[in-house]
Amino acid sequence: MARRTPNSSTRPTRSTRQPQPQPLPRTRRTFGDFAKAVLAFLALAVLVVGVPLALASVIGWPLPTEAPSLDMLQQEITVDTFLNVLAVVVWFAWAQFTACVLVEVKAALSGVGLPSRVPGAGPSQALARQLVAAVLLLGATAASFSPGLGQLGQQLEGHQQPVAAAAQQTPGLFGQDRAAAESAASAVAEQAGAQAEQAAAKPSAAKGDTKYYRIQPPEGRHHDSLWEISERHLGDGRRYHEIYELNKDREQPDGSRLSEASLIRPGWIMEMPADATGGELVEMPDEAPKVSEEVREQITDYAKSGESGAEGGGAAQEQKPDTGDTGDQDRDTQQISVPAERPAERPQVAAPAAEGSSFGLPEALVTAPLLAAGLLGALGRRRRAALWQSAMSAAGGRRGMEPPVPAGSAADVQDALLIGADPEGVRLLDRSLRGLAASLADESRPLPTVYAAWLSDGDLHLQLAQPAGEPPAPWQTGQDETFWMLARADGERYGDGDAAAPFPGLVSLGTLDDSRLLLNLEAVPGIVSLSGATADRDAVFASVAAELATSGWSDRMTVTLVGFGEELTAIAPTRLRHLDGVPALLETMEAETRQRRGALGTAGHDSVLTGRTGPAQHTRWAPHLVLVAAEPTAEQATRLAELAADAPRLGFGYLIGTGGGELPGAAWEMEITPEGRLLAPLLGLELDAQRVEAAEQRALVDLFTTADPDHEPEPGAAPPPFLVDVTEQGRPAVYARMVGPYEIIGIDAPDDARSVLLHEALAQLLLHREGVHVRVLASALWPRGVTEDVRDALVDRLHDWLGTDEDGTPRLTTDAAGRLLLAKSVVSDLDVLRSLYHEATQGRGAGDRAVRGRALTDALGLVRGPLLADRPEGRYGWLSHEIVDAQLPLLVADIGLALAAFHLEKDRAGKAIEALERALSTALEDERLWNELLRATHASGDTEALARRAADLVARSGARGVPPRTEALLDELLPAWRDTASAAG
């Protein structure tokens, strides 16, 4: 709910220029790589060309030259016959291997990931794959083994959305003319030659000498980055931040400045650390005579800017807010671009409450809005199910319908979910994706394959695997044809639709600055591998599993957990399942893969995406995502890779953990660091990973298991969370009427400007007598975020408004955990309602009929309508997370039923009917009230009234029909009710 919005003053100037596609980063190839490629080429030439030539020249035509006959079977087997048979076998083997080479080359060139298996060609295809990969290792074509990932590095179109920091986003990157680029390349070549001569003529420069590097122009599909510069000249790409620190905010030759570690352009100059080595580096200009005069002057001017910056710019740099770009990982590769905010078009939202004071809450859940919203929604549904099961249970279940109040770490996790949840963001994402699917279906167009999505302040950017034409309005094309984007304002115009969820496999991986990345696991062309320490991997796996199990942008789904998370299945038993190990997984997935291939073929679909549109959209093609935390053996990994080769077409996805080694068939490789950074250098990613640690997992499981309808409650009836003294001596100092129109009695009304917020804050506190965390209160009142000073000012005003009791005790206090607590002297009519019912059924009324009757009558008299009936439109959105809207009708129905039973004990059917009708005014859908009303009317002996009520009940039931229990009761009390109802109709 609370959002962090960046300070626009710290962001670099953004270009509105149309950028060009970026490629994958290329690693520097060694002589060994070149040798392997040559040997692989020779091996392929021998196997593909040499073998058939040798067979043709040595053996010739191996098959009979005449039609076969029975006489051939009686002929003697000679050496020639044996050689001919062997030649036929070799020809078949050669044809199979050649087919493997062709499909592997096709996959590499077309960018479709791992190809389908050639039948019966396991070892042959593996050999072909290794040889083709080795041949392509030195060329740009090698990037095709990660299809579409080069496109993932492109930033979004500037004239539609501001783009995030990307090396290619600022003006002039692709605007440089070819002559300038060639000049820069020539200068660098000269520098290399000069460095070689200097190395031969004199000793190496002292460690303190200053060295410079000029950013290379694009080479083929490749753009330079700080990571690769650091890897080449410092020996470790993770030292890129040292280069960034030396050069940030210094003016470059084109007049711009390096403000983020990922923003570099060809022609820029970088001062390098003293231990940098390599022929592309330039010492001070006077020591590089072969460098062009223009480049020499630029380096000289740049060196002076560093001196002045050291003298006068240090303080200013120290005061600049930390942008998070000085970490120790590889964001500079920038192969996935990040959408940025639009401060000029949308009002800025203040930073979240309690930025500097977390009170020990799990910040990982606070900063995971989509995950928190899904978990909170699932928890609410679980609690409502428990309420209804308790209400309809013959044993009565929990009398009073009070779910257990979480405590300890479970309470902290619940508070974190309440603070972090963004249900509106989930709703916007869901409607936008379904709206896109509906629009494409109307145009008879298939769904595109979506690799990833970025969410930035509600704006949605989809990364397509390949161009799919113009998107349907209001979607727009992004920076090129592989990007579709939807502005938040356009997405908010979508309503609820009946289209199937098109991309249910999208799941949050983490954030880069203020943008959130969702990877479509279902579309990955192969396996996604995750390396790192076991505990760190498990935290990522748990986050992915929990979000997939509760996401609001999916319909049906199966998520299989292997090697972790058996207890997590309690969160969503219908979606999450746990398998003991990889062998069981292989058996299951091989069977499901065969079944789905057959189903797709029978339905005439080429992939699950086409199966999600049209008449079958709601009944087929639910994704099955597999999360394997247990590292598989080499043989198991190979079998998983074979299954994953066809996974995107079939709606499967594989995320597999590894201790650090490479997995066969891993299309995308990621690493989680102990600091919580998610790295994917070949994707150009360095994210703040979304994780759920072990302690948070246990607390979440506790929340869900205690809320489960089948969870055994404590023996006896659970009392209300707050009991009020209902005698004359228990008159409260402040009394709030909430069951019906909202009214405060006992204190003066606040001024009009603050009345709405103060009333809403008090309402939330009254509904949570166990206390409300100050950050939960802030996120409820200001869903889009608020600063600490505004929040604290509101709490102070609330404190002053409520005042103190006669003994000077404040009526509002804050405990050590940061939770706001109301004094017992502040009471609501809902508290009184619960206390009166408890008094009648479990207190003194349990043994005193007179007390029971008086308490039930007083309780029913408090009911004036639904909760907070006159609340302002647009406020009290936090009530959607509560279950009080389900509790109150059930509580009123319980009171009505108890009072009716009280009157029927003395044959006062009229009084019983009056009590039931009063309860029905608030709990109209409660079947128990209708059934008891029929019994009370029958007890009164008024057959006509009974017939009228039966007809009214049938009319209210509509197309659903009368519930089975009510139908059986009518058959008993009024056998002719069907005829009466038909006549009335």
Side-chain angles (χ1 to χ4, degrees):
M1 296 170 70
R3 290 289 170 273
R4 175 175 300 175
T5 302
N7 186 337
S8 59
S9 65
T10 66
R11 287 190 172 273
T13 304
R14 295 176 174 85
S15 169
T16 58
R17 191 183 183 95
Q18 176 75 6
Q20 300 297 320
Q22 296 181 42
L24 282 168
R26 293 191 314 189
T27 54
R28 194 174 183 87
R29 305 306 181 192
T30 64
F31 177 78
D33 294 330
F34 180 78
K36 289 179 183 178
V38 172
L39 291 175
F41 176 78
L42 293 176
L44 283 174
V46 170
L47 292 173
V48 176
V49 179
V51 168
L53 290 178
L55 287 172
S57 61
V58 174
I59 297 180
W61 181 255
L63 297 178
T65 56
E66 57 185 16
S69 64
L70 293 176
D71 294 337
M72 290 184 176
L73 299 177
Q74 300 175 359
Q75 293 178 357
E76 182 181 357
I77 299 178
T78 63
V79 173
D80 290 340
T81 303
F82 177 78
L83 290 176
N84 286 336
V85 171
L86 183 61
V88 170
V89 173
V90 174
W91 273 110
F92 275 115
W94 170 84
Q96 185 186 60
F97 178 77
T98 303
C100 294
V101 172
L102 292 176
V103 296
E104 293 295 334
V105 171
K106 179 179 181 295
L109 296 177
S110 62
V112 296
L114 293 174
S116 299
R117 291 183 58 192
V118 175
S124 296
Q125 190 162 6
L127 175 62
R129 182 174 301 156
Q130 293 176 5
L131 292 176
V132 171
V135 170
L136 297 178
L137 188 64
L138 298 181
T141 312
S144 297
F145 281 111
S146 296
L149 299 186
Q151 289 293 332
L152 285 174
Q154 302 168 15
Q155 72 281 8
L156 301 162
E157 189 171 24
H159 70 273
Q160 294 169 345
Q161 286 295 304
V163 295
Q168 288 74 24
Q169 79 175 31
T170 47
L173 170 61
F174 292 98
Q176 302 180 46
D177 56 30
R178 180 174 294 275
E182 292 176 353
S183 174
S186 175
V188 172
E190 293 175 0
Q191 294 169 16
Q195 286 292 93
E197 293 181 5
Q198 293 169 12
K202 64 176 184 177
S204 299
K207 185 176 182 179
D209 290 346
T210 305
K211 303 172 185 177
Y212 294 90
Y213 175 82
R214 187 176 174 86
I215 303 301
Q216 303 293 307
E219 176 191 345
R221 297 178 57 201
H222 172 62
H223 294 275
D224 220 341
S225 68
L226 291 186
W227 177 277
E228 291 192 339
I229 296 169
S230 177
E231 193 171 58
R232 290 196 301 268
H233 301 295
L234 299 177
D236 185 358
R238 300 190 182 204
R239 292 183 60 190
Y240 79 90
H241 63 282
E242 298 178 28
I243 307 175
Y244 169 73
E245 287 295 334
L246 286 172
N247 296 277
K248 70 176 180 179
D249 298 320
R250 292 170 62 179
E251 185 173 352
Q252 292 290 340
D254 62 0
S256 55
R257 299 174 186 271
L258 176 67
S259 58
E260 294 196 28
S262 55
L263 286 173
I264 60 173
R265 302 185 205 166
W268 278 11
I269 297 166
M270 295 287 116
E271 181 178 340
M272 300 292 290
D275 61 340
T277 58
E280 297 173 338
L281 298 179
V282 180
E283 301 289 348
M284 290 303 293
D286 54 352
E287 299 178 11
K290 292 189 177 182
V291 174
S292 67
E293 185 64 30
E294 178 185 2
V295 173
R296 189 183 311 171
E297 291 178 359
Q298 289 177 355
I299 296 178
T300 302
D301 294 340
Y302 191 71
K304 293 178 180 178
S305 73
E307 295 167 4
S308 62
E311 295 172 2
Q317 291 180 12
E318 289 176 5
Q319 296 173 0
K320 185 174 179 179
D322 182 13
T323 61
D325 294 317
T326 59
D328 59 352
Q329 306 299 338
D330 60 350
R331 173 142 49 95
D332 55 272
T333 52
Q334 280 296 310
Q335 294 307 306
I336 291 185
S337 59
V338 189
E341 318 295 339
R342 291 193 293 177
E345 300 181 14
R346 187 174 296 111
Q348 289 291 318
V349 182
E355 187 79 10
S357 178
S358 65
F359 296 102
L361 296 184
E363 291 298 321
L365 293 175
V366 172
T367 56
L370 304 183
L371 170 60
L375 288 169
L376 207 55
L379 184 61
R381 291 189 295 272
R382 180 76 58 86
R383 286 173 172 169
R384 282 176 170 81
L387 281 175
W388 283 104
Q389 182 166 317
S390 178
M392 301 305 169
S393 172
R398 296 190 197 97
R399 300 294 293 175
M401 311 305 156
E402 299 299 338
V405 177
S409 59
D412 290 339
V413 163
Q414 179 172 274
D415 285 342
L417 296 179
L418 289 167
I419 295 167
D422 183 15
E424 183 57 37
V426 172
R427 190 178 302 111
L428 184 64
L429 175 62
D430 181 47
R431 289 179 174 179
S432 299
L433 295 177
R434 292 180 193 268
L436 173 64
S439 299
L440 291 172
D442 291 342
E443 299 177 8
S444 299
R445 295 171 59 186
L447 290 169
T449 299
V450 171
Y451 277 162
W454 284 100
L455 276 176
S456 180
D457 195 25
D459 297 337
L460 177 59
H461 309 260
L462 299 182
Q463 165 71 58
L464 312 185
Q466 59 272 329
E470 288 294 321
W475 290 77
Q476 306 172 42
T477 302
Q479 72 170 60
D480 63 21
E481 294 180 348
T482 63
F483 284 89
W484 286 3
M485 63 83 57
L486 180 70
R488 180 185 186 115
D490 294 328
E492 288 172 345
R493 289 197 281 268
Y494 277 119
D496 293 327
D498 59 353
F503 309 116
L506 285 170
V507 65
S508 303
L509 290 185
T511 57
L512 178 59
D513 295 329
D514 299 289
S515 296
R516 183 168 303 276
L517 172 66
L518 290 88
L519 186 65
N520 190 4
L521 286 177
E522 189 187 16
V524 176
I527 289 172
V528 178
S529 69
L530 178 66
S531 61
T534 301
D536 298 322
R537 294 201 317 262
D538 286 353
V540 174
F541 276 117
S543 170
V544 170
E547 185 166 301
L548 289 173
T550 60
S551 69
W553 52 92
S554 62
D555 296 324
R556 297 177 300 115
M557 181 183 298
T558 299
V559 183
T560 297
L561 314 180
V562 182
F564 81 106
E566 183 175 5
E567 67 284 353
L568 291 177
T569 57
I571 294 176
T574 60
R575 282 197 178 187
L576 294 177
R577 69 177 181 182
H578 178 267
L579 295 180
D580 292 334
V582 178
L585 172 69
L586 287 169
E587 181 180 355
T588 299
M589 294 310 299
E590 286 171 349
E592 290 195 23
T593 298
R594 289 192 299 270
Q595 187 274 335
R596 186 159 292 194
R597 279 178 179 153
L600 278 174
T602 302
H605 297 303
D606 57 350
S607 77
V608 294
L609 289 180
T610 54
R612 286 191 185 139
T613 57
Q617 61 176 319
H618 291 292
T619 57
R620 295 180 181 173
W621 327 124
H624 183 171
L625 304 176
V626 178
L627 311 180
V628 184
E631 186 169 2
T633 65
E635 180 184 356
Q636 292 169 345
T638 300
R639 292 174 63 185
L640 286 171
E642 293 172 352
L643 290 171
D646 204 20
R649 189 176 70 89
L650 302 176
F652 299 136
Y654 293 85
L655 175 61
I656 300 179
T658 172
E662 294 184 357
L663 285 177
W668 297 349
E669 297 177 344
M670 300 183 182
E671 176 190 357
I672 180 67
T673 70
E675 296 76 25
R677 304 290 287 174
L678 188 66
L679 311 178
L682 291 182
L683 302 182
L685 283 178
E686 181 184 347
L687 305 173
D688 290 320
Q690 181 171 293
R691 300 178 296 168
V692 180
E693 302 292 349
E696 296 160 5
Q697 295 175 39
R698 291 191 294 269
L700 279 172
V701 171
D702 183 44
L703 278 176
F704 277 85
T705 52
T706 55
D708 195 280
D710 298 325
H711 178 70
E712 289 294 331
E714 294 296 326
F722 177 63
L723 281 173
V724 178
D725 184 356
V726 293
T727 66
E728 287 295 327
Q729 291 74 29
R731 190 176 299 276
V734 178
Y735 183 63
R737 304 179 72 188
M738 302 169 63
V739 185
Y742 195 7
E743 181 183 0
I744 308 294
I745 302 170
I747 53 176
D748 296 333
D751 61 81
D752 292 340
R754 301 183 178 94
S755 176
V756 173
L757 280 176
L758 290 174
H759 276 74
E760 187 173 354
L762 180 57
Q764 188 174 42
L765 291 169
L766 286 166
L767 291 176
H768 293 278
R769 302 303 306 218
E770 73 277 8
V772 176
H773 200 286
V774 65
R775 296 180 66 183
V776 174
L777 180 67
S779 62
L781 299 179
W782 294 280
R784 291 181 64 81
V786 68
T787 55
E788 289 185 37
D789 56 341
V790 174
R791 178 207 68 195
D792 293 341
L794 186 278
V795 173
D796 290 341
R797 293 190 188 99
L798 185 61
H799 180 278
D800 294 340
W801 180 44
L802 292 175
T804 60
D805 289 330
E806 293 181 356
D807 60 358
T809 303
R811 293 172 181 153
L812 179 67
T813 57
T814 305
D815 66 11
R819 289 183 172 83
L820 298 170
L821 300 168
L822 288 175
K824 292 183 177 180
S825 58
V826 183
V827 173
S828 73
D829 54 356
L830 184 58
D831 296 326
V832 177
L833 190 69
R834 289 166 167 164
S835 299
L836 285 170
Y837 180 65
H838 181 268
E839 178 76 358
T841 57
Q842 300 176 56
R844 292 182 301 134
D848 190 325
R849 175 179 169 79
V851 172
R852 182 167 74 253
R854 184 168 60 251
L856 292 172
T857 301
D858 291 345
L860 202 56
L862 293 175
V863 179
R864 299 176 298 123
L867 187 75
L868 300 168
D870 58 350
R871 58 180 179 264
E873 185 177 356
R875 303 298 309 178
Y876 296 83
W878 48 271
L879 280 173
S880 63
H881 299 315
E882 307 285 347
I883 62 169
V884 66
D885 59 334
Q887 283 178 303
L888 181 58
L890 290 173
L891 177 59
V892 171
D894 281 350
I895 294 171
L897 291 169
L899 187 56
F902 173 83
H903 288 304
L904 287 174
E905 288 175 2
K906 296 296 184 179
D907 295 327
R908 295 195 291 263
K911 290 288 188 179
I913 291 172
E914 181 181 343
L916 293 167
E917 288 178 336
R918 180 75 179 267
L920 277 168
S921 65
T922 298
L924 186 61
E925 302 299 325
D926 199 305
E927 181 187 356
R928 299 173 301 162
L929 288 175
W930 283 102
N931 291 349
E932 199 60 31
L933 182 59
L934 292 173
R935 291 190 180 95
T937 305
H938 180 267
S940 70
D942 190 344
T943 306
E944 292 183 1
L946 181 60
R948 287 196 303 271
R949 293 196 187 281
D952 185 29
L953 182 56
V954 171
R956 288 180 181 275
S957 300
R960 297 176 302 171
V962 178
R965 291 184 182 180
T966 304
E967 184 176 3
L969 180 61
L970 283 172
D971 287 338
E972 177 188 347
L973 302 180
L974 189 66
W977 68 276
R978 291 181 174 82
D979 298 334
T980 304
S982 300

